[in-house]
Amino acid sequence: MRNSIGNNVVLTLFGESHGSAVGAVIDGLAAGIPVDQDFIASQLSKRRPQGPVDTARREKDQYQILSGVFNGRTTGAPLCIIIPNEDVRSADYEATRSLARPSHADYVAQVKYGGFQDYRGGGHFSGRVTAAIVAAGAIAIKALEAKGICIGTHILECGGVRDTDFNDLGSPESAALLESYLKAVNEKDFPVVEDLKEAITARILEAKSDSDSIGGMIQTAVTGLEPGLGEPWFDSLEGVLSKALFSIGGIKGVEFGSGFGFARMRGSEANDSFCMIDGKVRSLTNHNGGINGGISNGMPVVFNCAVKPTPSIAKEQRTVDFLKGQDAPLCLKGRHDPAIVRRICIVVSSLVAIVLCDVLATSRGTDYLK
Amino acid sequence: MRNSIGNNVVLTLFGESHGSAVGAVIDGLAAGIPVDQDFIASQLSKRRPQGPVDTARREKDQYQILSGVFNGRTTGAPLCIIIPNEDVRSADYEATRSLARPSHADYVAQVKYGGFQDYRGGGHFSGRVTAAIVAAGAIAIKALEAKGICIGTHILECGGVRDTDFNDLGSPESAALLESYLKAVNEKDFPVVEDLKEAITARILEAKSDSDSIGGMIQTAVTGLEPGLGEPWFDSLEGVLSKALFSIGGIKGVEFGSGFGFARMRGSEANDSFCMIDGKVRSLTNHNGGINGGISNGMPVVFNCAVKPTPSIAKEQRTVDFLKGQDAPLCLKGRHDPAIVRRICIVVSSLVAIVLCDVLATSRGTDYLK
Amino acid sequence: MRNSIGNNVVLTLFGESHGSAVGAVIDGLAAGIPVDQDFIASQLSKRRPQGPVDTARREKDQYQILSGVFNGRTTGAPLCIIIPNEDVRSADYEATRSLARPSHADYVAQVKYGGFQDYRGGGHFSGRVTAAIVAAGAIAIKALEAKGICIGTHILECGGVRDTDFNDLGSPESAALLESYLKAVNEKDFPVVEDLKEAITARILEAKSDSDSIGGMIQTAVTGLEPGLGEPWFDSLEGVLSKALFSIGGIKGVEFGSGFGFARMRGSEANDSFCMIDGKVRSLTNHNGGINGGISNGMPVVFNCAVKPTPSIAKEQRTVDFLKGQDAPLCLKGRHDPAIVRRICIVVSSLVAIVLCDVLATSRGTDYLK
Amino acid sequence: MRNSIGNNVVLTLFGESHGSAVGAVIDGLAAGIPVDQDFIASQLSKRRPQGPVDTARREKDQYQILSGVFNGRTTGAPLCIIIPNEDVRSADYEATRSLARPSHADYVAQVKYGGFQDYRGGGHFSGRVTAAIVAAGAIAIKALEAKGICIGTHILECGGVRDTDFNDLGSPESAALLESYLKAVNEKDFPVVEDLKEAITARILEAKSDSDSIGGMIQTAVTGLEPGLGEPWFDSLEGVLSKALFSIGGIKGVEFGSGFGFARMRGSEANDSFCMIDGKVRSLTNHNGGINGGISNGMPVVFNCAVKPTPSIAKEQRTVDFLKGQDAPLCLKGRHDPAIVRRICIVVSSLVAIVLCDVLATSRGTDYLK
């Protein structure tokens, strides 16, 4: 399945950083879902590099829908969307093509593809491919919105600066507040709940000025998801979400609800007691991040992702020349992000939306999202 | 795919806590792999409750191989292994069947299966099903061993007591030491590197005496994995492993290498510089847990799992009666583990072995493991 | 996927002719489907050898349900059903184990599994495995019946004797007659519409007395299937049905509606004109076997399967000893069917029922069949 | 999986007859396979309408490879190939959009997609999509050729005119002759072994002059396939090939080797006796079409497909207006093929090549085709 994910709504990715285009096929979407072209464009703009903390590569991201949409709605046939590459400077990569950039995929690609890989800008491993996820995900996000499901991702922590933790909003009374936060971060160009854009930007620029990069942690919440979605074992909500999330370069950890915090808790603290509220089963706390036994329990689904520092840094590094088989110093030119925490948020929300469309189609049938 | 996982080596689980048997079908294994019946039995004994820190339920775990083995070796046909249930006390569950145990799957099962689920002992959600993973995984572990691949899982932290961190053994020189640790923890009945069995047991018994339970963190390392295994996007090693891991009840977080620690690192610290050692590409550190761009890089694969406290506790809890639709107090009888960190280690190693057999079959062809 | 089929309702087979048991796991069935144990037994009895035209091997087919059923209904968890083997005479196969029986899988199994295959009685290739299909299919058949869907398979032709052709009942007026025929053949021990049991039996016994075997053609019809099921390309109804059907040993051709007859027709004859009948769209003829563009059109789904003569014959044959690498004569002992057209009918209906449960779950969601 | 097929080499189709483009993603191909752009173009030209027996729609089929190829070879990343649509006359379809063309998918599409389908020219159901199969298949054909595997498809019968039957070339001595025939039909613009182009063309034009269309039968052979490929049950070679073949509009029957001819044979005639030839196991006849027990036996794989007459005919037909819910006469304008037997041959060979790449990758590992 390699570059495809999903059982009933299936996303397939293709494209390279310096090839003609990146793109996605999304198959299995219900017919009749409205396709809001302005929303797709606006989502792409959120992923796009835009200021001093992002790479200097500037792509217009003029996407084209090649199939699956007719008269402004999905047809039920596979939807192919492509985003041509334009601002390509492949020459940056020729000189260093056999130098394995540390923590990048250059060396493993060489081993796996035997030298036939497109090595320019990371080729198919490039974060550029996530533009296709965002474009396809925009349609999924709107389809879920129509069902009352809202997804939002924010920077939880970067450079020691920490935003509101959605896990602190786990009580039934906090539901409305959480949803308002999600909507707010979805509108912002810098996705944080509190007024932290400048503080975080300062930390990123500090790293940049040191020819370095920094990591961070992002947090996603999904509200409005009905209980009963997911499966007991391998298609648990945690399992299908994490498989998708780990495909994004830079994500090295995923935790649901209290996650690694559970390691230091007792059952009496960690258990989410159920209660009846307005005739519905709710839990008083949400340490489990809205998931019990792999299945949604009607509370918000909340999870954190660890994002490693961008491996491309301007500082000189030690590495090997894998064609010569010898050690070599590495000085990267290229254009890189000193931190990807901002840009990755929209990618995560988009991918999560596609996964949830799949989960809903599996449980409720293809036509549910129509 | 629900209860199946894998592309070329496919594991399918079935069974309930209080039904006739739990079992697994493992399909796609190469023909000719030796099946060591004593090893299967010994692996099962490691998962089995055995002392004061485990549940009082005592199962003999007399497994039966129904198919796929002939003259002591795999035949290439699907291998079905079952473990009959014996020490079943279903009556424990009748009185409380409509009370949703907090942080358990009772409520979501009711929603999803509409009351038709086997509610006794958690039914198909029960940790009892992992006995089948261990039995099937024993064959996979031996097949990998024959290829020089070693898997070990230990308790990294429980009750504030912390064992050796394999991430501190990330340098090429530490490889032999790491492997010796893996072999050691695989032999022990209490899987820790250092002499911590008593300290951890004391913390667990403390929680038990408080009618409570505790969580922890476990850590797995895989040595001997060649570089080039895995895929760039959705079948990344991180993705396929995490999907499998999150199927295990109680695991709520997965991080590779430095994982959430990356959030506070800079690129210059986090990057693993490559170097040539004895003609092979290695990295000086292993913050990435042996995986770059979703693909093994030849260094040990290392990851941590967060384990939540067992949700079954003897303390009275608040919950709802989902048939009556009203709040209700809950006092659990049954027989439960005050902590599952010990028993889960062998389950994780077993499941990881099966996933790696699949990854190897996909990259190298079915016959590779023969 | 090897021994599994289906996207949402997934059937997995295991077992060998002379191993402990054959069995099936069926995963993804809705919770709450009644499981009629007498019906399973009666379906198995239809597949069982029973008279002079069948093999002398006599199995009681005492099936056991290991999981997925509770209080007489499916639970939604994977259902494992096994049928232990009892009347096994493995010694019959020892003497000839390296002689490749012509048109059997002995030689290809040796190549594929390198000598590790269970060669006794064809091992996992044996028709014995279809007992598990029949047992699992019985549950699917009942689930479909509850939705008004009826499946029947009869011997269309054997030994030159030909039964009623369901393709002649393609008009809307013939619908009730067709359904009555389906119900009738499902009740009979010898599945033919007309009074042909003796004529066909005579031809089979004639072949048997010549130490030979004969082939035939079987025909299946499905009524009550709503329009709109299936997919345009690779999951066309024809595609998913044929993939399942060709898994059955002995089936070497599948045709839908007029099938190979289309080769000699003109469009004006072949096209099924639509008309309105009682406010519903119907077609005046049913040359397309109820499927247009891969999708059900509301008319009965009708298809034929070619069944080759049983390859096991008592006549001496030429073959090779694949271990010695030389030509060798072959005289089969064992116990074999001179024709399998009778026994295969129930297997086909059962497998088709499982495939249709999958198609319905995919289109309508898992709960549709509840 | 809808519009995708394959386990390890996965083909995904997209596009509509009158949309921007049709296309395919082929994922899982080994890195390093040469991509011969002239060969792709020449294969597309064989599918292209070209004379009086084909539709008047004329497409240039200027394909573009968007990803997965670098420096003239596959990279191992997903390969996306698109073919823009140019000669589109959508107005032909507006007037009749709610009239269900008999034996077409118009009615089932309306039911399945609820009116949101792209109805112009059959939308995603259109044979136009097969251009993408041919383009992707050209790469697969070359990859197989490099391994000594040759695929050819010819018109076996049309309008009562019958070509050489490859089943008559089943003996080991005929192998070279068969392969020469395959190469010959692959070179011809009208794929028949004997000098039958004019005779068949005359029959097609005869039908056309009657405002009608005709069906036929095509036959495919694959030589050079090693024994041991395929699986015992659901991934039998027959199963995976037939699933692919039935996706092609117009194919309504598939038979392997003697196929439906087996129905009138005895075992002693039908069995293919094995013999040793030059140290290899061969069979004296090839009634089984190179497949035993679902697995290749080293003899040529041979199968026939029934092709129904093109449903679009100029003759007036009865049908329904599905929006008005009433009967209506239908007079088709548009541009249609009076027979598709010629154009479908290259589509079948292309699709078979892709399926066989998948089968080889599954058995031998991804890198086998490099």
Side-chain angles (χ1 to χ4, degrees):
Chain A
M1 288 285 285
R2 292 170 170 75
N3 291 280
S4 298
I5 194 165
N7 288 321
N8 287 288
V9 173
V10 181
L11 173 71
T12 300
L13 295 178
F14 58 87
E16 290 91 30
S17 182
H18 291 227
S20 325
V22 297
V25 180
I26 182 161
D27 189 17
L29 280 180
I33 296 174
V35 175
D36 181 337
Q37 305 257 4
D38 291 341
F39 183 68
I40 299 174
S42 103
Q43 292 289 95
L44 281 168
S45 76
K46 284 179 201 152
R47 198 204 71 97
R48 204 150 41 223
Q50 54 190 211
V53 307
D54 301 324
T55 171
R57 178 172 173 180
R58 290 293 179 268
E59 287 284 1
K60 279 186 291 183
D61 289 346
Q62 297 284 24
Y63 71 90
Q64 301 163 24
I65 294 179
L66 298 184
S67 66
V69 176
F70 183 52
N71 293 335
R73 288 174 182 265
T74 57
T75 62
L79 190 160
C80 180
I81 192 162
I82 64 170
I83 305 165
N85 291 324
E86 300 188 344
D87 183 17
V88 164
R89 292 198 211 149
S90 306
D92 286 351
Y93 295 90
E94 287 301 327
T96 56
R97 61 162 292 201
S98 60
L99 298 182
R101 291 172 298 162
S103 299
H104 264 292
D106 302 332
Y107 166 62
V108 297
Q110 176 70 16
V111 172
K112 186 172 173 70
Y113 302 114
F116 296 108
Q117 70 277 13
D118 182 348
Y119 50 78
R120 301 167 302 168
H124 183 54
F125 290 85
S126 170
R128 174 83 188 131
V129 176
T130 62
I133 294 174
V134 172
I139 299 167
I141 285 170
K142 280 289 177 190
L144 295 174
E145 259 184 35
K147 294 287 171 187
I149 298 164
C150 181
I151 304 171
T153 303
H154 70 124
I155 303 170
L156 178 61
E157 185 184 317
C158 181
V161 181
R162 203 171 165 95
D163 198 20
T164 304
D165 188 341
F166 293 161
N167 280 309
D168 295 337
L169 303 171
S171 67
E173 309 86 74
S174 307
L177 183 61
L178 174 58
E179 197 172 324
S180 74
Y181 283 168
L182 298 184
K183 286 181 177 159
V185 296
N186 282 339
E187 294 300 318
K188 293 184 179 180
D189 66 332
F190 198 91
V192 279
V193 174
E194 295 170 53
D195 192 18
L196 300 170
K197 178 178 172 174
E198 282 176 40
I200 293 175
T201 302
R203 303 299 175 92
I204 296 174
L205 291 177
E206 201 175 287
K208 190 183 179 182
S209 71
D210 294 344
S211 302
D212 216 332
S213 64
I214 56 172
M217 206 190 304
I218 62 174
Q219 185 176 58
T220 303
V222 185
T223 58
L225 215 55
E226 55 187 310
L229 301 173
E231 301 291 337
W233 289 89
F234 303 117
D235 282 355
S236 74
L237 266 190
E238 289 118 327
V240 298
L241 285 169
S242 69
K243 189 181 177 201
L245 293 165
F246 277 117
S247 72
I248 302 174
I251 291 187
K252 296 293 283 190
V254 174
E255 59 179 359
F256 291 84
S258 298
F260 281 89
F262 279 123
R264 297 181 181 177
M265 290 167 85
R266 283 195 163 193
S268 55
E269 298 165 84
N271 284 355
D272 299 310
S273 287
F274 291 108
C275 59
M276 296 302 303
I277 295 184
D278 300 334
K280 288 187 177 166
V281 175
R282 288 284 178 265
S283 64
L284 293 169
T285 51
N286 190 21
H287 296 295
N288 282 283
I291 304 174
N292 293 142
I295 295 174
S296 64
N297 66 10
M299 297 298 288
V301 168
V302 183
F303 55 87
N304 300 336
C305 298
V307 180
K308 74 175 184 184
T310 326
S312 296
I313 56 176
K315 267 198 178 136
E316 184 177 309
Q317 298 179 83
R318 285 186 62 176
T319 192
V320 299
D321 182 314
F322 50 68
L323 292 181
K324 296 189 184 154
Q326 63 188 40
D327 290 356
L330 176 73
C331 291
L332 284 177
K333 301 280 182 282
R335 298 164 293 177
H336 310 288
D337 303 78
I340 56 166
V341 281
R342 184 193 69 79
R343 298 178 65 200
I344 209 171
C345 288
I346 193 74
V347 177
V348 164
S349 289
S350 303
L351 190 51
V352 165
I354 294 169
V355 169
L356 291 178
C357 285
D358 180 42
V359 169
L360 283 162
T362 301
S363 286
R364 301 281 176 264
T366 298
D367 288 348
Y368 177 77
L369 286 172
K370 183 155 62 185
Chain B
M1 289 284 287
R2 290 169 169 76
N3 292 280
S4 298
I5 194 166
N7 288 320
N8 288 288
V9 172
V10 182
L11 174 71
T12 300
L13 296 178
F14 58 87
E16 289 92 30
S17 183
H18 291 226
S20 326
V22 296
V25 180
I26 181 162
D27 189 16
L29 280 181
I33 296 174
V35 175
D36 181 337
Q37 306 257 3
D38 291 340
F39 184 68
I40 299 174
S42 102
Q43 292 289 93
L44 282 168
S45 77
K46 286 180 199 149
R47 198 204 72 97
R48 204 149 44 223
Q50 53 189 212
V53 306
D54 301 325
T55 171
R57 177 171 173 181
R58 290 293 178 268
E59 286 285 359
K60 278 186 292 182
D61 289 345
Q62 296 284 24
Y63 71 92
Q64 302 164 23
I65 295 179
L66 298 183
S67 65
V69 176
F70 183 52
N71 293 334
R73 288 174 182 264
T74 57
T75 61
L79 192 161
C80 181
I81 193 162
I82 64 169
I83 305 165
N85 290 324
E86 300 189 342
D87 183 17
V88 165
R89 292 198 211 150
S90 306
D92 285 351
Y93 295 90
E94 286 301 328
T96 56
R97 59 162 292 200
S98 61
L99 298 182
R101 290 172 299 162
S103 299
H104 264 292
D106 302 333
Y107 167 62
V108 297
Q110 176 71 15
V111 174
K112 185 172 175 69
Y113 301 114
F116 296 108
Q117 71 277 11
D118 181 350
Y119 49 78
R120 301 167 304 168
H124 183 54
F125 290 85
S126 170
R128 173 84 187 131
V129 177
T130 61
I133 294 175
V134 172
I139 299 166
I141 284 170
K142 280 289 178 191
L144 294 174
E145 259 184 35
K147 294 286 172 187
I149 298 165
C150 181
I151 303 171
T153 303
H154 70 123
I155 302 170
L156 179 61
E157 185 184 318
C158 181
V161 181
R162 202 170 166 95
D163 198 19
T164 303
D165 188 339
F166 294 161
N167 281 308
D168 295 337
L169 303 170
S171 67
E173 307 85 75
S174 307
L177 184 61
L178 173 58
E179 197 172 324
S180 73
Y181 283 168
L182 299 184
K183 287 183 176 155
V185 296
N186 282 339
E187 293 300 318
K188 293 183 178 180
D189 67 331
F190 199 89
V192 279
V193 174
E194 296 169 54
D195 192 17
L196 300 170
K197 177 177 173 176
E198 281 176 38
I200 294 175
T201 302
R203 304 299 175 93
I204 297 173
L205 291 176
E206 200 176 287
K208 189 182 179 183
S209 72
D210 293 344
S211 302
D212 215 330
S213 63
I214 56 171
M217 204 189 305
I218 61 174
Q219 185 175 58
T220 304
V222 185
T223 58
L225 217 54
E226 54 188 310
L229 301 173
E231 301 291 336
W233 290 89
F234 303 117
D235 281 356
S236 76
L237 266 190
E238 288 118 329
V240 297
L241 286 169
S242 69
K243 189 181 178 201
L245 293 165
F246 277 117
S247 72
I248 302 173
I251 291 188
K252 295 293 281 189
V254 175
E255 59 180 359
F256 291 84
S258 298
F260 282 90
F262 279 122
R264 297 182 180 176
M265 289 166 87
R266 284 195 162 193
S268 54
E269 297 166 85
N271 284 355
D272 300 310
S273 287
F274 290 108
C275 58
M276 297 301 302
I277 295 184
D278 299 336
K280 288 187 177 166
V281 175
R282 290 283 177 267
S283 65
L284 293 168
T285 51
N286 189 22
H287 296 296
N288 283 282
I291 304 174
N292 293 143
I295 294 174
S296 64
N297 66 9
M299 298 297 290
V301 168
V302 182
F303 54 87
N304 300 335
C305 297
V307 180
K308 73 176 185 184
T310 326
S312 295
I313 56 176
K315 269 200 176 133
E316 184 177 309
Q317 299 178 82
R318 287 186 58 177
T319 191
V320 300
D321 182 314
F322 50 70
L323 291 181
K324 296 186 183 153
Q326 62 189 40
D327 290 356
L330 176 73
C331 290
L332 284 177
K333 302 279 183 286
R335 299 164 293 178
H336 310 287
D337 303 78
I340 56 166
V341 281
R342 185 193 70 79
R343 297 179 65 201
I344 209 171
C345 288
I346 193 75
V347 176
V348 164
S349 289
S350 303
L351 190 50
V352 165
I354 294 168
V355 169
L356 291 178
C357 284
D358 181 41
V359 170
L360 283 162
T362 301
S363 286
R364 301 279 176 266
T366 299
D367 289 348
Y368 177 78
L369 287 172
K370 181 153 63 185
Chain C
M1 288 283 286
R2 293 170 168 76
N3 292 281
S4 298
I5 194 165
N7 288 320
N8 288 287
V9 173
V10 181
L11 173 71
T12 300
L13 296 178
F14 58 87
E16 290 91 30
S17 182
H18 292 226
S20 324
V22 296
V25 179
I26 182 162
D27 189 16
L29 280 180
I33 297 174
V35 175
D36 180 337
Q37 305 257 6
D38 291 340
F39 183 68
I40 299 175
S42 102
Q43 291 290 93
L44 281 168
S45 76
K46 285 180 200 150
R47 199 205 72 97
R48 202 145 48 220
Q50 56 189 212
V53 306
D54 300 326
T55 171
R57 178 172 173 181
R58 291 292 178 270
E59 287 284 0
K60 279 187 289 184
D61 290 344
Q62 296 284 25
Y63 72 92
Q64 301 164 24
I65 294 179
L66 298 184
S67 66
V69 176
F70 183 53
N71 292 336
R73 288 175 182 263
T74 57
T75 61
L79 190 161
C80 181
I81 193 163
I82 64 169
I83 306 166
N85 290 322
E86 300 188 341
D87 183 16
V88 165
R89 291 197 211 152
S90 305
D92 286 350
Y93 295 90
E94 285 301 328
T96 57
R97 60 162 291 201
S98 61
L99 299 182
R101 290 172 300 162
S103 299
H104 264 292
D106 303 332
Y107 167 60
V108 297
Q110 175 70 18
V111 173
K112 186 172 174 69
Y113 302 114
F116 295 108
Q117 71 276 12
D118 181 350
Y119 50 78
R120 299 167 303 167
H124 183 54
F125 290 84
S126 169
R128 173 84 187 131
V129 177
T130 62
I133 295 175
V134 172
I139 298 166
I141 285 170
K142 280 289 177 192
L144 295 174
E145 260 184 34
K147 292 288 172 186
I149 297 165
C150 181
I151 303 171
T153 303
H154 70 123
I155 302 170
L156 179 61
E157 186 184 317
C158 181
V161 180
R162 202 169 166 95
D163 198 20
T164 304
D165 189 340
F166 293 161
N167 281 309
D168 295 337
L169 305 170
S171 67
E173 308 87 75
S174 307
L177 184 61
L178 173 59
E179 196 172 325
S180 74
Y181 284 168
L182 298 184
K183 287 182 175 158
V185 297
N186 282 339
E187 293 300 318
K188 292 183 179 181
D189 66 331
F190 198 89
V192 279
V193 175
E194 295 170 54
D195 192 17
L196 299 171
K197 178 178 174 176
E198 282 178 38
I200 293 175
T201 301
R203 302 299 174 93
I204 296 173
L205 291 176
E206 201 176 286
K208 188 182 181 183
S209 71
D210 293 344
S211 302
D212 215 332
S213 65
I214 56 173
M217 206 190 302
I218 60 174
Q219 185 175 58
T220 303
V222 184
T223 58
L225 216 54
E226 55 188 308
L229 302 172
E231 299 292 335
W233 289 90
F234 303 118
D235 281 355
S236 75
L237 267 190
E238 289 118 327
V240 297
L241 286 169
S242 69
K243 189 180 178 201
L245 293 165
F246 277 117
S247 72
I248 302 173
I251 291 187
K252 295 292 281 189
V254 174
E255 59 180 359
F256 290 83
S258 297
F260 281 90
F262 279 122
R264 298 182 179 175
M265 288 166 86
R266 284 194 162 194
S268 54
E269 298 165 85
N271 284 355
D272 299 311
S273 287
F274 290 108
C275 58
M276 297 302 301
I277 295 183
D278 299 335
K280 288 188 177 164
V281 174
R282 289 283 177 267
S283 65
L284 294 168
T285 51
N286 189 21
H287 296 296
N288 282 284
I291 304 173
N292 294 142
I295 295 173
S296 64
N297 65 10
M299 299 295 291
V301 168
V302 183
F303 54 88
N304 300 334
C305 296
V307 180
K308 74 175 184 184
T310 325
S312 295
I313 57 176
K315 269 198 176 136
E316 184 178 309
Q317 299 179 81
R318 286 186 60 175
T319 191
V320 299
D321 182 313
F322 51 68
L323 292 182
K324 295 186 184 156
Q326 63 188 40
D327 291 356
L330 176 73
C331 291
L332 285 176
K333 301 282 184 282
R335 298 163 296 177
H336 310 287
D337 303 79
I340 56 166
V341 281
R342 183 192 71 78
R343 298 178 64 200
I344 209 171
C345 286
I346 193 73
V347 177
V348 164
S349 289
S350 302
L351 189 51
V352 165
I354 294 167
V355 169
L356 291 177
C357 284
D358 180 42
V359 170
L360 284 161
T362 302
S363 287
R364 301 279 175 266
T366 298
D367 289 347
Y368 178 78
L369 286 172
K370 181 153 64 184
Chain D
M1 287 285 287
R2 293 170 168 75
N3 292 280
S4 298
I5 194 165
N7 288 320
N8 288 288
V9 173
V10 182
L11 173 72
T12 300
L13 295 179
F14 58 87
E16 291 92 28
S17 183
H18 291 227
S20 324
V22 296
V25 179
I26 181 161
D27 189 15
L29 279 180
I33 296 174
V35 175
D36 180 338
Q37 305 257 6
D38 292 339
F39 184 67
I40 299 174
S42 103
Q43 292 289 93
L44 282 168
S45 77
K46 285 180 198 150
R47 198 205 70 98
R48 203 147 45 222
Q50 56 188 212
V53 306
D54 300 326
T55 171
R57 178 170 173 181
R58 290 292 178 268
E59 286 285 0
K60 279 188 290 183
D61 289 346
Q62 297 284 26
Y63 71 91
Q64 300 164 22
I65 295 178
L66 297 184
S67 67
V69 177
F70 183 52
N71 292 335
R73 288 175 183 264
T74 56
T75 61
L79 191 161
C80 180
I81 192 163
I82 63 168
I83 305 166
N85 291 323
E86 300 188 343
D87 183 18
V88 166
R89 293 197 210 150
S90 306
D92 287 352
Y93 295 89
E94 286 301 327
T96 56
R97 60 163 289 201
S98 61
L99 298 182
R101 290 171 299 161
S103 299
H104 264 292
D106 303 331
Y107 166 61
V108 297
Q110 176 70 17
V111 173
K112 185 173 175 67
Y113 302 114
F116 295 107
Q117 71 276 14
D118 182 349
Y119 50 78
R120 301 166 303 167
H124 183 54
F125 289 85
S126 169
R128 173 84 188 131
V129 177
T130 62
I133 294 175
V134 172
I139 298 166
I141 285 171
K142 281 289 177 189
L144 295 174
E145 259 183 34
K147 293 288 171 187
I149 298 165
C150 181
I151 304 171
T153 303
H154 69 123
I155 303 170
L156 178 61
E157 186 184 316
C158 181
V161 181
R162 203 171 166 93
D163 198 20
T164 303
D165 188 339
F166 292 161
N167 280 309
D168 296 337
L169 303 170
S171 67
E173 307 87 73
S174 307
L177 184 61
L178 173 58
E179 196 172 324
S180 74
Y181 283 170
L182 298 184
K183 287 182 176 159
V185 298
N186 282 340
E187 293 300 319
K188 293 183 179 182
D189 67 331
F190 198 91
V192 279
V193 175
E194 295 171 54
D195 191 16
L196 298 170
K197 177 178 174 176
E198 282 176 38
I200 293 174
T201 302
R203 302 299 174 92
I204 296 174
L205 291 176
E206 201 176 287
K208 188 183 181 184
S209 71
D210 293 345
S211 302
D212 215 332
S213 64
I214 56 173
M217 205 190 302
I218 62 173
Q219 185 175 58
T220 303
V222 184
T223 59
L225 217 53
E226 55 188 307
L229 302 173
E231 300 291 336
W233 290 88
F234 303 118
D235 281 355
S236 75
L237 266 190
E238 289 118 327
V240 296
L241 285 169
S242 70
K243 189 180 178 203
L245 293 165
F246 277 118
S247 72
I248 302 173
I251 291 187
K252 295 292 282 188
V254 174
E255 59 180 359
F256 291 83
S258 297
F260 282 90
F262 279 122
R264 296 182 181 176
M265 288 166 86
R266 284 195 162 192
S268 54
E269 297 166 83
N271 284 355
D272 299 310
S273 287
F274 289 108
C275 58
M276 297 302 301
I277 294 183
D278 299 334
K280 289 186 176 166
V281 175
R282 290 284 176 266
S283 65
L284 294 168
T285 51
N286 190 20
H287 296 296
N288 281 284
I291 304 173
N292 294 142
I295 294 174
S296 65
N297 65 11
M299 299 296 290
V301 168
V302 183
F303 54 87
N304 301 334
C305 297
V307 180
K308 75 175 183 183
T310 327
S312 295
I313 56 176
K315 270 198 176 136
E316 184 176 309
Q317 299 178 82
R318 288 186 59 176
T319 192
V320 300
D321 182 314
F322 51 68
L323 292 181
K324 296 188 184 154
Q326 64 189 40
D327 291 355
L330 176 73
C331 290
L332 284 176
K333 300 281 183 285
R335 297 164 294 177
H336 310 288
D337 303 79
I340 55 165
V341 282
R342 183 192 71 78
R343 298 178 64 199
I344 209 172
C345 287
I346 194 73
V347 177
V348 164
S349 289
S350 302
L351 189 51
V352 165
I354 294 167
V355 169
L356 292 177
C357 284
D358 180 41
V359 170
L360 283 162
T362 302
S363 286
R364 301 280 176 264
T366 299
D367 288 348
Y368 177 77
L369 286 172
K370 182 154 61 184

